């Protein structure tokens, strides 16, 4: 579940909505924004445009990033009426789309129709399963993601007026989300209580003196052209709003969560224990794999992959001459200080060094590279304790890059031997490269340029870790073990996610399985298992996508022989943006045909 992630991750991690460089938010009006380029089939073109306009209407941040200046001072409307209206319109679009004869469509229109149907069906499904009752997860929630409004553009007086309007609207936004949390309490649709241990800390992190609040930060510095009078006026307004509006809102939310919500959250962990839970989880399996797989098939595949990777890990243990069994080696990796950074700066510098090495490998493996660069930042402190080890945070502005986030919290739980695999996955050739290229595909309609299909994106990220092996990374055997433990991590996900949500596994059973098969620190094991509990199915994307890409590469290598070009193959994988696995296979089949015709 967790619809909040779908919108928040558009900005904060996986499928970040980057501002189209050809559009200036100061000069484009709402009527100028279209889903261009237009599909050849008029009926499909109309549906694509309506779906895109609906997405813009429901996401002011995306609308503003796309040039709609009227959305600049708005927050998303999460009221029952607004969500019901969106659902009704999406259902109508989906029904109309299903009536189109797909066999009569041109090739590109078939792809557009299939991806649009995939997106609309998911939105309709999530509403039916009451995903909007869960705007929080084990990692964080709406209260942390909404704070990104303080990171926006502050160049003009109007920018500050827009920000003030958002701050003024914050209590209503929290009230709307709290309404859905209460509906969840009443119907048994909540995160598992065990995953909410310490959740209140992610709220209290925002309850600070006004001058230390991230919401006040925009009022501490101004553009040079602002007069002293303007600065004083906005500073006073900012202090009043943060003091009298923002902080009371967070205090009330903290009280609600600690006194009512967390104590009332469900004691079970499985998605199958939710209303219509078994059906819901199988739906999530199909959505996140983009294949017609069942939970049982995923589980068996996971066990097979765990066995294979475990044998490779043992080879590395033998290589370093370690005297002891597998469990002893894992304990050695988790406890020996040589493997851990001493300061946040050391960890960030290591990430930066690896990232620069990764930049240098790109021309050898890719014919087309993105224009947008990326930077490296620590995970924001307020969410770091329960956050994953690293993530890609994209940009929704043309004048700001994407960022590779590195978690610098609990340094004794952030082993350096994992950093090569993490960096290749989150930065390049992983998420930054793939997402940035996706957004630069101006030949695609916007609903595809600014979207993210998890099996494709996460599969590509995991494949990127493997690609590093060919590119000369993992020369140190411990780093290679880190790569294998990351691969094992993703394989174990298939087992524990399906185990907990479909096969009756306990949380402790999942923790033990992950801990006994990977070198992840126990802190990371715990945060990851709680993430899978509160985000059913998403963890399946990685291995399924990676295995598909590897299989397609082998297929192309066998078919093309000496004509196989790794740069051309990677360009072909990324050529149509984020697509379901079935479509990816079709485009690689087309690639093979084109390459054969050249010879």
């Amino acid at each position: 579940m967790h619809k909040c992630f779908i919108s928040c991750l558009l900005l904060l991690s996986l499928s970040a909505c980057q501002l189209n460089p050809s559009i200036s938010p100061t000069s484009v009006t709402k009527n100028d924004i279209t889903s261009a380029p237009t599909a050849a089939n008029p009926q499909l073109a109309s549906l694509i445009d309506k779906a895109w306009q609906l997405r813009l209407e429901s996401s002011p941040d995306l609308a503003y990033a796309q040039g709609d200046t009227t959305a600049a001072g708005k927050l998303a409307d999460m009221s029952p009426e607004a969500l019901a209206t969106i659902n009704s319109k999406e259902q109508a679009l989906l029904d109309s789309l299903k009536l189109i004869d797909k066999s009569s469509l041109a090739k590109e229109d078939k792809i557009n129709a299939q991806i649009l149907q995939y997106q609309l069906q998911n939105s309709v499904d999530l509403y039916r399963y009451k995903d909007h009752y869960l705007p929080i997860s084990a990692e964080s929630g709406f209260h942390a993601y909404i704070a990104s409004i303080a990171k926006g553009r502050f160049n003009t007086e109007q920018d500050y007026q827009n920000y003030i309007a958002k701050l003024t609207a914050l209590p209503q936004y929290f009230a709307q989300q709290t309404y859905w949390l209460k509906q969840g309490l009443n119907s048994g649709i909540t995160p598992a209580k065990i995953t909410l241990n310490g959740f209140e800390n992610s709220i209290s992190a925002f309850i600070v003196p006004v001058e230390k609040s991230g919401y006040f930060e925009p009022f501490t510095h101004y553009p040079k052209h602002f007069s002293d009078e303007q600065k004083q006026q906005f500073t006073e307004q900012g202090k009043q709003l943060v003091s009298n509006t923002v902080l009371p809102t967070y205090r009330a939310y903290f009280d609600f969560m600690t006194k009512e919500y967390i104590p009332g959250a469900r004691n079970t962990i499985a998605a199958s224990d939710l209303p219509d839970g078994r059906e819901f989880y199988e739906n999530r399996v199909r959505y996140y794999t983009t294949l017609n797989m069942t939970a049982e098939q995923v589980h068996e595949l996971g066990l097979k992959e765990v066995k294979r990777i475990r044998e490779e890990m043992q080879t590395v243990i033998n290589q370093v001459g370690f005297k002891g069994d597998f469990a002893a080696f894992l304990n050695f990796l988790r406890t020996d200080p040589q493997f851990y950074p001493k300061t946040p700066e050391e960890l960030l510098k290591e990430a930066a060094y690896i990232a620069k090495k990764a930049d240098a490998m790109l021309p050898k493996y890719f014919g087309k590279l993105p224009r947008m660069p990326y930077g490296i930042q620590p995970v924001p402190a307020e969410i770091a304790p329960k956050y994953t080890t690293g993530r890609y945070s994209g940009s929704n502005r043309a004048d700001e890059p994407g960022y590779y986030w590195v978690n610098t919290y609990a340094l004794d739980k952030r082993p350096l031997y994992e950093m090569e695999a993490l960096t290749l996955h989150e930065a390049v050739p992983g998420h930054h490269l793939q997402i940035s290229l996706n957004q630069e595909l101006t030949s695609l309609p916007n609903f595809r340029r600014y979207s993210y299909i998890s099996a494709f994106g996460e599969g590509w990220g995991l494949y990127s870790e493997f690609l590093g092996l060919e590119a000369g990374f993992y020369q140190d055997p411990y780093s290679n073990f880190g790569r294998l433990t990351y691969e094992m991590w993703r394989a174990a996900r298939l087992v524990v996610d399906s185990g907990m949500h479909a096969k009756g596994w306990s949380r402790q059973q999942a923790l033990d399985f992950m801990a006994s098969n990977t070198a992840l620190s126990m802190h990371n094991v715990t945060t990851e298992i709680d993430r899978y509990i509160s985000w059913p199915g998403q963890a399946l994307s990685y291995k399924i996508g990676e295995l598909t890409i590897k299989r397609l590469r082998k297929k192309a290598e066998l078919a093309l022989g000496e004509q196989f070009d790794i740069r051309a193959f990677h360009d072909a994988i990324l050529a149509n943006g984020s697509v379901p696995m079935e479509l990816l296979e079709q485009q690689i089949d087309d690639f093979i045909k084109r390459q054969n015709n050249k010879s």
Side-chain angles (χ1 to χ4, degrees):
M1 293 190 178
H2 311 300
K3 196 167 193 175
C4 76
F5 282 127
I6 296 171
S7 60
C8 295
L9 290 178
L10 288 174
L11 295 175
L12 292 174
S13 58
L14 302 180
S15 53
C17 302
Q18 178 187 345
L19 179 64
N20 183 340
S22 65
I23 297 177
S24 168
T26 60
S27 61
V28 181
T29 63
K30 188 173 182 178
N31 292 333
D32 296 320
I33 304 170
T34 69
S35 58
T38 304
N41 180 280
Q43 187 179 1
L44 177 61
S46 175
L47 292 175
I48 289 173
D49 188 60
K50 289 177 180 178
W52 179 246
Q53 294 300 329
L54 182 59
R55 185 169 165 189
L56 293 176
E57 290 171 16
S58 61
S59 176
D61 282 341
L62 177 58
Y64 180 58
Q66 288 294 298
D68 180 5
T69 55
T70 67
K74 298 178 181 177
L75 300 179
D77 185 353
M78 302 300 294
S79 66
E81 297 78 13
L83 297 194
T85 297
I86 292 169
N87 176 67
S88 177
K89 290 180 178 180
E90 287 177 332
Q91 183 66 66
L93 289 170
L94 180 61
D95 293 342
S96 297
L97 183 59
K98 289 180 176 179
L99 293 175
I100 295 178
D101 178 12
K102 309 299 191 300
S103 63
S104 65
L105 296 176
K107 180 180 176 180
E108 195 61 31
D109 277 2
K110 286 181 180 178
I111 297 175
N112 286 333
Q114 185 169 337
I115 295 178
L116 182 61
Q117 184 165 324
Y118 172 83
Q119 292 181 0
L120 289 171
Q121 186 67 62
N122 183 57
S123 293
V124 169
D125 287 346
L126 287 177
Y127 188 83
R128 177 163 60 92
Y129 290 118
K130 297 181 172 57
D131 170 75
H132 47 293
Y133 285 15
L134 286 165
I136 65 171
S137 76
E139 287 187 330
S140 191
F142 72 89
H143 64 283
Y145 296 122
I146 195 64
S148 65
I149 63 175
K151 306 295 184 182
R153 182 183 292 105
F154 293 96
N155 296 330
T156 68
E157 183 174 345
Q158 187 60 52
D159 290 336
Y160 279 88
Q161 295 289 3
N162 293 335
Y163 181 57
I164 286 169
K166 288 182 178 181
L167 293 181
T168 304
L170 210 60
Q172 180 183 21
Y173 178 77
F174 270 64
Q176 290 172 346
Q177 297 285 29
T178 302
Y179 170 83
W180 293 122
L181 290 171
K182 290 179 179 178
Q183 296 304 302
L185 275 179
N186 294 334
S187 56
I189 301 177
T190 72
K193 184 185 295 185
I194 189 67
T195 69
L196 296 177
N197 286 341
F199 183 88
E200 66 276 10
N201 296 330
S202 71
I203 309 172
S204 61
F206 290 94
I207 304 173
V208 295
V210 172
E211 290 77 8
K212 293 184 178 181
S213 171
Y215 283 102
F216 185 68
E217 199 271 339
F219 301 106
T220 62
H221 55 84
Y222 297 92
K224 292 181 179 179
H225 63 271
F226 271 38
S227 66
D228 291 340
E229 184 179 355
Q230 285 176 306
K231 295 175 184 178
Q232 183 177 356
Q233 177 184 346
F234 282 127
T235 300
E236 285 303 315
Q237 279 187 278
K239 282 183 178 179
Q240 290 297 317
L241 277 168
V242 174
S243 177
N244 300 331
T245 300
V246 176
L247 293 179
T249 297
Y250 274 89
R251 291 190 191 102
Y253 180 58
F254 180 90
D255 289 343
F256 165 71
M257 291 299 294
T258 55
K259 296 177 181 177
E260 185 174 347
Y261 191 84
I262 295 175
R266 65 188 176 106
N267 292 313
T268 59
I269 64 169
S272 58
D273 293 326
L274 295 167
D276 300 318
R278 291 190 177 278
E279 178 188 348
F280 163 70
Y281 185 65
E282 293 293 348
N283 177 281
R284 293 298 84 194
V285 171
R286 292 190 297 274
Y287 173 73
Y288 280 114
T289 65
T290 72
L291 299 171
N292 193 28
M293 297 185 73
T294 65
E296 184 62 33
Q297 289 172 326
V298 166
H299 193 81
E300 290 304 314
L301 177 61
L303 290 172
K304 181 180 177 182
E305 280 291 286
V306 166
K307 181 180 178 181
R308 177 187 64 79
I309 300 165
R310 180 71 172 261
E311 292 173 356
E312 292 189 36
M313 296 172 93
Q314 187 61 51
T315 300
V316 176
I317 295 174
N318 296 340
Q319 179 186 353
V320 300
F322 183 80
K323 305 302 181 184
D325 61 12
F326 190 80
F329 187 70
L330 295 187
N331 184 64
F332 163 62
L333 292 179
R334 288 175 178 144
T335 58
D336 195 306
Q338 69 173 303
F339 298 120
Y340 295 88
K342 303 299 186 295
T343 66
E345 291 72 23
E346 180 185 351
L347 184 60
L348 290 169
K349 286 179 179 179
E350 180 70 11
Y353 173 65
I354 296 169
K356 201 59 187 173
K357 286 173 62 179
D359 286 341
M361 73 178 269
L362 298 181
K364 183 177 179 180
Y365 292 93
F366 299 89
K368 185 176 182 181
L369 299 175
R371 293 176 60 251
M372 179 63 74
Y374 66 97
I376 297 175
Q377 289 181 335
V379 171
E382 61 268 16
I383 61 175
K386 290 174 69 66
Y387 207 70
T388 191
T389 188
R391 190 164 278 172
Y392 178 67
S393 172
S395 170
N396 67 339
R397 293 167 51 179
D399 60 350
E400 184 173 311
Y403 283 95
Y404 162 31
W405 278 6
V406 178
N407 199 331
T408 57
Y409 173 82
L411 290 173
D412 60 342
K413 308 296 189 294
R414 310 296 174 192
L416 296 171
Y417 55 76
E418 294 176 354
M419 288 307 295
E420 284 190 316
L422 178 66
T423 303
L424 294 171
H425 183 112
E426 302 296 344
V428 295
H431 286 322
H432 172 74
L433 182 140
Q434 181 262 312
I435 291 171
S436 296
L437 283 176
N438 195 142
Q439 294 171 348
E440 292 174 15
L441 291 171
T442 55
S443 61
L444 298 183
N446 283 338
F447 84 93
R448 286 175 58 188
R449 288 179 64 200
Y450 301 98
S451 67
Y452 188 84
I453 294 175
S454 195
F456 182 91
E458 298 304 339
W460 176 259
L462 185 49
Y463 171 78
S464 295
E465 296 175 30
F466 160 77
L467 190 60
L469 194 62
E470 295 183 22
F473 288 79
Y474 315 116
Q475 293 299 308
D476 181 274
Y478 293 108
S479 179
N480 192 34
F481 196 89
R483 174 187 69 84
L484 288 169
T485 207
Y486 262 40
E487 187 181 8
M488 177 66 89
W489 175 21
R490 278 48 170 265
R493 287 175 174 180
L494 301 181
V495 180
V496 299
D497 195 279
S498 56
M500 289 188 294
H501 292 300
K503 298 178 73 67
W505 279 34
S506 68
R507 178 174 178 267
Q508 190 60 51
Q509 192 174 353
L511 288 167
D512 291 344
F513 187 88
M514 185 73 78
S516 63
N517 283 293
T518 76
L520 295 174
S521 69
M522 288 309 301
H523 175 84
N524 284 342
V525 168
T526 302
T527 57
E528 287 300 314
I529 292 300
D530 286 349
R531 170 187 162 196
Y532 311 150
I533 291 171
S534 63
W535 200 355
Q538 191 272 343
L540 310 180
S541 306
Y542 301 70
K543 247 305 168 181
I544 300 300
E546 180 232 16
L547 288 173
T548 302
I549 294 172
K550 281 185 174 180
R551 178 177 60 79
L552 294 177
R553 175 171 167 176
K554 182 174 289 187
K555 183 178 185 179
E557 288 173 335
L558 290 173
L560 298 175
E562 293 183 357
Q563 300 300 317
F564 179 78
D565 181 344
I566 189 64
R567 297 167 84 240
F569 172 76
H570 289 151
D571 288 351
I573 288 284
L574 301 171
N576 288 306
S578 191
V579 299
M581 295 297 97
E582 181 183 275
L583 282 177
L584 184 62
E585 179 137 18
Q586 292 175 16
Q587 69 190 49
I588 294 305
D589 287 342
D590 290 342
F591 163 74
I592 292 171
K593 291 177 183 177
R594 290 195 305 271
Q595 296 301 104
N596 276 326
N597 289 336
K598 290 180 181 179
S599 57

